[in-house]
């Protein structure tokens, strides 16, 4: 969209807001000059507690307010799927839709990896935390469309052309829903909230919160934060749709944007979509943040067992993992994998350290641990620090005095830093690194520095993600190397 067209659509949207009771403070300016999209700036100082916007619930596009509400309810669709149907339907109506002017302001689709070409996703996301997720997303959404959208079109409930509800249109609607919608209340569920969705995100630096007065089912009478769609789970169907106890359909209370952090004149005014790393930001919203301290890297349990098998044997790997589980440990669980998180500072998850410690135990010590394993899983299972300390005491010549006074998790982790454990961490970091291909971290850093965020948006954000993840692996190596050297100094 060129600058002149963007300016025209923004002027039309301002008129639409006035006509639909959406109030935007004179202290805010909607700016359409940025090629990356509309954003909100302060034209006067904003102070904590200021009310800067009110949005009637009836102005929101939801599965309850759309003209397709009857068909959505009859098909028992819910969550973000229902909202995607509402968006497709209102877009298909064009100028006849009450939300046409608002929808015209939005992009046709957000540039999230879901709608990148298969070649782009394969090339740009290889090795990253999004590599598998995006492929799974496409499969799931194709299933949703086949099972829910196609029958809806065939039923004749909606007076639309099949092309308006095509798989491609569904993908486009889903990108808007995932990146811009909010969970409004128990009656409306997820909804597109005009004006509120124009505030960009800033991790730990937001100026405003989006709130609503409590709906009729609440009893505390207080305001509540309205969740973005990213912070709530999708649901495909609603067996017993929630009915507003008042029977009025749309609640009386307006949604509000409240200042929670001062902003100076001229500053961009930010909202927050939650605390999440770049993989989640790129996945749901199509952007990343430099130096995001919520970034992590995952190492799959399958990679750990592959490494163990290559060093020892498959039987060794199965036996050691089995003992680790019998002691009450497990990794993080996703839909089809078990994994361990490496934090932004390069520190591995405790459960990974324990597993590597067990894998690298000498046979006689391993046998000793097996003989007392039952005693280590008991009343203390809830007390991580005491449990690990007891476990280490059994397998190490460490003195009891060294275990006294342990209160912090980092102190406990240090007990597990054997030279073999640290060597294993270095090997796993190298294995994880190979997933990114032949380019080095330095190559990616140089590409990122030369990349233009406007004309090469996909490349830019994928490089931010890759560089951040690879720097975490670099810090993991430093973590393992420094711990190994410390052990050598302490135990010559």
């Amino acid at each position: 969209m060129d600058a002149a067209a963007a300016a025209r659509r923004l002027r039309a949207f301002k008129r639409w807001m006035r006509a639909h009771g959406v109030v935007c403070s004179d202290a805010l300016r909607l700016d359409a000059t940025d090629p990356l999209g509309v954003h909100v700036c302060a034209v006067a100082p904003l102070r904590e507690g200021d009310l800067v916007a009110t949005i009637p619930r009836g102005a929101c596009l939801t599965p309850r307010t759309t003209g397709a509400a009857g068909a959505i309810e009859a098909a028992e669709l819910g969550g973000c799927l229902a909202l995607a149907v509402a968006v497709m339907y209102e877009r298909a109506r064009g100028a006849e839709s009450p939300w046409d002017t608002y929808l015209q302001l939005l992009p046709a689709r957000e540039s999230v990896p879901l709608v990148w070409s298969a070649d782009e996703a394969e090339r740009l996301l290889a090795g990253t935390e999004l590599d598998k997720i995006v492929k799974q997303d496409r499969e799931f959404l194709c299933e949703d469309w086949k099972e829910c959208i196609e029958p809806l079109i065939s039923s004749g409930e909606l007076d639309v052309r099949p092309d308006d509800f095509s798989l491609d249109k569904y993908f486009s609607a889903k990108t808007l829903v995932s990146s811009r919608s909010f969970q409004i209340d128990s009656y409306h569920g997820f909804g597109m909230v005009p004006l509120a969705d124009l505030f960009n995100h800033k991790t730990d630096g937001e100026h405003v919160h989006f709130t609503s007065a409590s709906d009729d089912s609440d009893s505390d009478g207080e305001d509540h934060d309205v969740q973005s769609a990213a912070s709530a789970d999708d649901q495909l169907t609603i067996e017993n749709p929630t009915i507003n106890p008042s029977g009025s359909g749309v609640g009386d209370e307006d949604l509000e944007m409240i200042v929670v952090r001062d902003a100076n004149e001229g500053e961009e005014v930010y909202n927050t979509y939650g605390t999440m790393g770049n993989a989640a930001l790129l996945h749901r919203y199509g952007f990343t943040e430099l130096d995001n301290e919520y970034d992590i890297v995952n190492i799959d349990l399958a990679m750990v067992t592959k490494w163990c098998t290559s060093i020892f044997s498959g039987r060794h790997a199965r036996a050691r993992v089995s003992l680790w589980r019998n002691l009450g440990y497990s990794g993080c669980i996703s839909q089809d994998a078990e994994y361990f998180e490496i934090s932004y500072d390069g520190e591995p998850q405790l459960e990974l350290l324990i597993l590597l410690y067990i894998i690298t135990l000498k046979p006689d010590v391993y046998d000793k641990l097996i003989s007392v394993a039952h005693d280590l899983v008991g009343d203390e299972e809830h007390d991580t620090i005491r449990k690990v300390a007891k476990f280490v005491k059994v397998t190490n010549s460490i003195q009891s005095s060294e275990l006294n006074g342990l209160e912090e998790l980092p102190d406990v982790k240090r007990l597990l830093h054997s030279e073999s454990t640290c060597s294993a961490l270095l090997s796993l970091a190298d294995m994880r690194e190979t997933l990114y291909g032949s380019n080095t971290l330095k190559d990616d850093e140089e590409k990122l520095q030369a990349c233009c965020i406007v004309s090469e948006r996909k490349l830019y954000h994928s490089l931010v993600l890759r560089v951040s993840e690879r720097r975490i692996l670099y810090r993991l190596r430093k973590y393992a190397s420094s711990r190994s050297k410390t052990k050598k100094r302490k135990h010559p």
Side-chain angles (χ1 to χ4, degrees):
M1 188 189 308
D2 61 45
R8 284 196 302 273
R9 293 185 183 187
L10 183 57
R11 287 194 297 272
F13 175 66
K14 289 177 180 178
R15 292 193 295 270
W16 182 92
M17 286 197 297
R18 288 193 293 271
H20 288 80
V22 179
V23 178
C24 180
S25 167
D26 291 338
L28 300 179
R29 176 170 60 87
L30 307 184
D31 191 334
T33 60
D34 191 329
L36 295 177
V38 179
H39 63 275
V40 183
C41 291
V43 294
L46 302 179
R47 296 296 173 252
E48 184 177 349
D50 288 352
L51 174 64
V52 291
T54 57
I55 304 149
R57 296 179 196 227
C60 302
L61 172 53
T62 77
R64 294 285 193 174
T65 59
T66 175
I72 289 171
E73 185 173 0
E76 297 185 322
L77 302 181
C80 290
L81 176 58
L83 182 56
V85 170
V87 170
M88 286 190 290
Y89 179 76
E90 297 303 333
R91 278 189 154 175
R93 294 178 69 187
E96 295 181 3
S97 169
W99 291 277
D100 180 55
T101 303
Y102 160 64
L103 293 172
Q104 289 287 334
L105 186 67
L106 305 184
R109 53 171 51 180
E110 296 290 353
S111 183
V112 297
L114 173 68
V115 292
W116 296 1
S117 70
D119 175 68
E120 286 175 326
E122 184 75 30
R123 178 169 45 87
L124 298 177
L125 300 177
T128 70
E129 292 303 316
L130 288 185
D131 194 3
K132 294 179 183 177
I133 294 174
V134 172
K135 295 171 186 174
Q136 292 172 343
D137 280 352
R138 289 193 176 121
E139 292 174 4
F140 293 150
L141 289 186
C142 286
E143 290 176 9
D144 290 349
W145 184 83
K146 191 76 176 173
E147 295 174 6
C148 302
I149 307 299
E150 206 170 36
L152 187 62
I153 300 170
S154 302
S155 71
E157 290 276 347
L158 300 175
D159 185 20
V160 293
R161 295 179 301 118
D163 284 351
D164 292 326
F165 273 58
S166 66
L167 181 61
D168 185 63
K169 293 288 178 66
Y170 177 54
F171 271 48
S172 295
K174 283 290 288 187
T175 69
L176 296 180
V177 169
S178 73
S179 62
R180 291 177 176 270
S181 67
F182 297 86
Q183 189 173 24
I184 297 173
D185 56 33
S186 60
Y187 177 78
H188 289 280
F190 290 100
M192 306 295 288
V193 185
L195 179 60
D197 61 3
L198 300 183
F199 290 80
N200 286 327
H201 163 86
K202 189 172 186 180
T203 299
D204 294 334
E206 72 274 17
H207 299 100
V208 296
H209 275 184
F210 180 36
T211 65
S212 68
S214 89
D215 62 36
D216 293 337
S217 62
D218 292 324
S219 59
D220 55 17
E222 296 179 357
D223 285 352
H224 298 272
D225 283 351
V226 178
Q227 289 183 300
S228 71
S231 61
D233 293 331
D234 290 8
Q235 295 180 351
L236 296 184
T237 61
I238 300 177
E239 294 184 4
N240 298 298
T242 301
I243 302 300
N244 189 316
S246 69
S248 60
V250 179
D252 295 331
E253 307 89 353
D254 288 342
L255 306 174
E256 299 177 336
M257 301 294 292
I258 305 291
V259 176
V260 295
R261 180 170 165 266
D262 291 357
N264 296 321
E265 181 180 347
E267 280 189 275
E268 180 170 357
V269 181
Y270 291 100
N271 191 5
T272 180
Y273 307 155
T275 52
M276 58 188 80
N278 279 325
L281 288 175
L282 182 55
H283 181 218
R284 296 164 179 167
Y285 304 106
F287 69 88
T288 56
E289 293 180 314
L290 295 171
D291 303 317
N292 187 336
E293 294 185 0
Y294 294 97
D295 278 347
I296 59 170
V297 169
N298 294 334
I299 292 180
D300 288 349
L301 175 60
M303 181 176 287
V304 178
T305 55
K306 181 179 179 181
W307 163 81
C308 181
T309 300
S310 70
I311 299 297
F312 301 101
S313 68
R315 182 179 180 182
H316 182 104
R318 289 190 296 273
R320 301 298 171 111
V321 171
S322 177
L323 175 58
W324 175 72
R325 292 200 188 283
N326 289 339
L327 289 170
Y329 296 106
S330 63
C332 303
I333 307 294
S334 67
Q335 290 175 332
D336 60 354
E338 189 169 356
Y339 61 92
F340 306 97
E341 293 183 350
I342 310 299
S343 65
Y344 181 76
D345 60 6
E347 187 168 329
Q349 188 174 328
L350 174 65
E351 287 76 9
L352 174 58
L353 285 175
I354 293 172
L355 176 56
L356 296 179
Y357 186 87
I358 292 174
I359 286 174
T360 56
L361 285 175
K362 292 179 177 172
D364 59 328
V365 182
Y366 169 72
D367 291 339
K368 182 180 179 182
L369 181 58
I370 286 182
S371 67
V372 299
H374 179 74
D375 298 330
L376 297 177
V377 182
D379 295 337
E380 294 182 1
E381 188 168 3
H382 66 283
D383 189 336
T384 302
I385 293 176
R386 291 179 64 190
K387 183 181 175 184
V388 175
K390 191 174 180 181
F391 158 79
V392 171
K393 185 178 179 181
V394 171
T395 60
N396 201 309
S397 58
I398 193 168
Q399 298 296 314
S400 296
S401 59
E402 294 185 55
L403 299 177
N404 294 332
L406 289 176
E407 296 181 356
E408 302 294 334
L409 202 56
D411 297 329
V412 176
K413 285 186 174 182
R414 278 194 287 272
L415 297 177
L416 302 168
H417 292 150
S418 68
E419 187 174 343
S420 297
T421 300
C422 293
S423 176
L425 285 173
L426 291 172
S427 296
L428 289 171
D430 289 342
M431 289 179 70
R432 181 65 179 80
E433 186 85 40
T434 62
L435 300 181
Y436 296 102
S438 58
N439 283 356
T440 65
L441 170 58
K442 185 178 179 182
D443 292 335
D444 283 344
E445 288 174 333
E446 289 175 351
K447 282 185 181 178
L448 176 58
Q449 193 170 11
C451 192
C452 175
I453 189 174
V454 176
S455 61
E456 302 172 289
R457 183 173 180 177
K458 297 173 185 176
L459 176 61
Y460 175 85
H461 290 300
S462 64
L463 281 171
V464 171
L465 177 61
R466 284 170 60 91
V467 166
S468 181
E469 290 184 1
R470 299 184 80 168
R471 284 175 178 170
I472 290 173
L473 291 175
Y474 172 78
R475 289 191 281 270
L476 173 61
R477 291 190 186 91
K478 288 189 67 175
Y479 174 95
S481 298
S482 64
R483 294 328 187 261
S484 179
K485 291 174 183 176
T486 301
K487 277 287 180 182
K488 288 178 181 178
R489 286 198 298 268
K490 287 186 175 179
H491 304 284

